[in-house]
Amino acid sequence: MISLRNIWKEYKIDKEITFTALKNINLTIQQGEFSSIMGPSGSGKSTLMHIIGLLDKPSKGTVSIGDKNVERLNDDQLSSLRNEFIGFVFQQFNLINKLTVMENILLPTIYSRKSFDYDTKEKAIEIMKRVGILEKANSYPNRISGGQQQRTAIARALIMNPKLILADEPTGNIDTKTGAEIMKLLKELNKEEKITIIVVTHESAIAENTERKIYIKDGEIVGKL
Ligand SMILES: Nc1ncnc2c1ncn2[C@@H]1O[C@H](COP(=O)(O)OP(=O)(O)O)[C@@H](O)[C@H]1O
Ligand SMILES: [Mg+2]
């Protein structure tokens, strides 16, 4: 489904100094996988996730989605591919406090240039039921719990029917028990909806919930940490 070949990412610190955040990453993610990218803080997990998610480009190397080499796509093509193919979930939830839960979930459909052959509001209701936040549909994000905020962010990721969900430290801002519930929900979405899911985490207890563990250290994929 997604493959990364000889990916390097360098950040320019100033004129002369570059920092190498990813070193020769080779990685294939198959459709239907439930994987984690695990490594200590600063190891390059978010950088890698941004490249997989087409949010950032590598300095060197090839990213392919299906049989499409992403390099050949222009920015418009990249963003439509991203919007239709990938749902993102972040540690900080990234919800808009001035919008209700329901409005937050519908936001990707408003920004999308795609026309929908289904009623997006009905779909939002169905998804809120699925992730257990229907009774919070008209609440504002700052009035609900962290777990409910993350469920809202997952619902927002689901509204466009993504093939892939990328979750960057999705349990980083919630307590352990709530975090376990979020991981259970992601596991169910992988099994029941057949969505490929990649969870980025620095916690081995979170990675334990996934079927495949990809370890990263100092910008390199390693066999174990
Ligand atoms: N825009 C940037 N400019 C310079 N250095 C960066 C930038 N983004 C990340 N880095 C550096 O790259 C390394 C990996 O960062 P990151 O991918 O965020 O790690 P992780 O998500 O594993 O904590 C860190 O040392 C970080 O400081
Ligand atoms: Mg990170």
Side-chain angles (χ1 to χ4, degrees):
M1 157 180 249
I2 291 186
S3 92
L4 273 60
R5 288 288 160 258
N6 309 110
I7 294 292
W8 293 75
K9 180 70 186 181
E10 286 168 353
Y11 290 115
K12 236 186 166 67
I13 307 289
D14 63 27
K15 261 191 205 142
E16 270 124 66
I17 304 166
T18 58
F19 175 80
T20 306
L22 295 176
K23 300 168 190 162
N24 200 34
I25 300 283
N26 284 285
L27 180 63
T28 300
I29 303 287
Q30 304 288 356
Q31 197 168 335
E33 275 186 20
F34 184 35
S35 313
S36 52
I37 296 173
M38 226 287 272
S41 175
S43 56
K45 304 183 296 297
S46 294
T47 303
L48 180 56
M49 197 201 90
H50 288 141
I51 289 174
I52 296 173
L54 313 178
L55 292 167
D56 199 3
K57 288 179 174 166
S59 312
K60 269 187 281 179
T62 313
V63 179
S64 313
I65 294 213
D67 50 10
K68 247 187 235 163
N69 181 342
V70 169
E71 213 175 345
R72 302 214 178 90
L73 305 180
N74 65 32
D75 284 351
D76 265 8
Q77 291 170 318
L78 268 182
S79 69
S80 5
L81 183 60
R82 189 165 57 228
N83 291 342
E84 283 166 32
F85 191 81
I86 309 173
F88 294 92
V89 175
F90 298 99
Q91 176 171 359
Q92 312 288 351
F93 320 129
N94 294 9
L95 300 171
I96 295 176
N97 278 324
K98 282 188 181 159
L99 299 180
T100 64
V101 161
M102 172 101 164
E103 290 164 346
N104 268 281
I105 294 168
L106 284 168
L107 211 51
T109 69
I110 292 162
Y111 285 135
S112 170
R113 275 166 288 175
K114 195 175 115 174
S115 58
F116 293 87
D117 55 2
Y118 52 86
D119 183 329
T120 52
K121 284 190 181 130
E122 272 171 30
K123 169 114 179 142
I125 290 169
E126 185 191 307
I127 293 171
M128 286 189 286
K129 264 187 215 161
R130 176 66 189 83
V131 305
I133 47 163
L134 185 59
E135 76 278 18
K136 300 293 175 190
N138 298 315
S139 302
Y140 289 89
N142 52 7
R143 298 294 172 88
I144 59 177
S145 71
Q148 288 164 338
Q149 289 181 60
Q150 198 55 300
R151 286 173 190 273
T152 303
I154 292 170
R156 180 185 54 189
L158 290 170
I159 193 81
M160 298 291 288
N161 280 330
K163 299 256 185 312
L164 170 68
I165 288 181
L166 295 175
D168 194 352
E169 306 271 5
T171 63
N173 267 21
I174 46 190
D175 64 84
T176 309
K177 183 170 165 281
T178 310
E181 288 164 11
I182 292 294
M183 289 307 294
K184 182 167 169 273
L185 173 61
L186 291 175
K187 186 181 277 181
E188 288 167 3
L189 292 171
N190 168 256
K191 288 285 158 290
E192 291 161 22
E193 317 291 330
K194 316 272 181 246
I195 302 170
T196 307
I197 299 185
I198 305 176
V199 176
V200 165
T201 182
H202 65 277
E203 287 182 82
S204 57
I206 293 297
E208 275 316 308
N209 292 286
T210 66
E211 284 157 3
R212 176 182 177 196
K213 287 126 202 135
I214 298 151
Y215 299 106
I216 179 167
K217 197 182 164 201
D218 300 327
E220 284 182 281
I221 290 183
V222 292
K224 60 175 185 194
L225 287 173

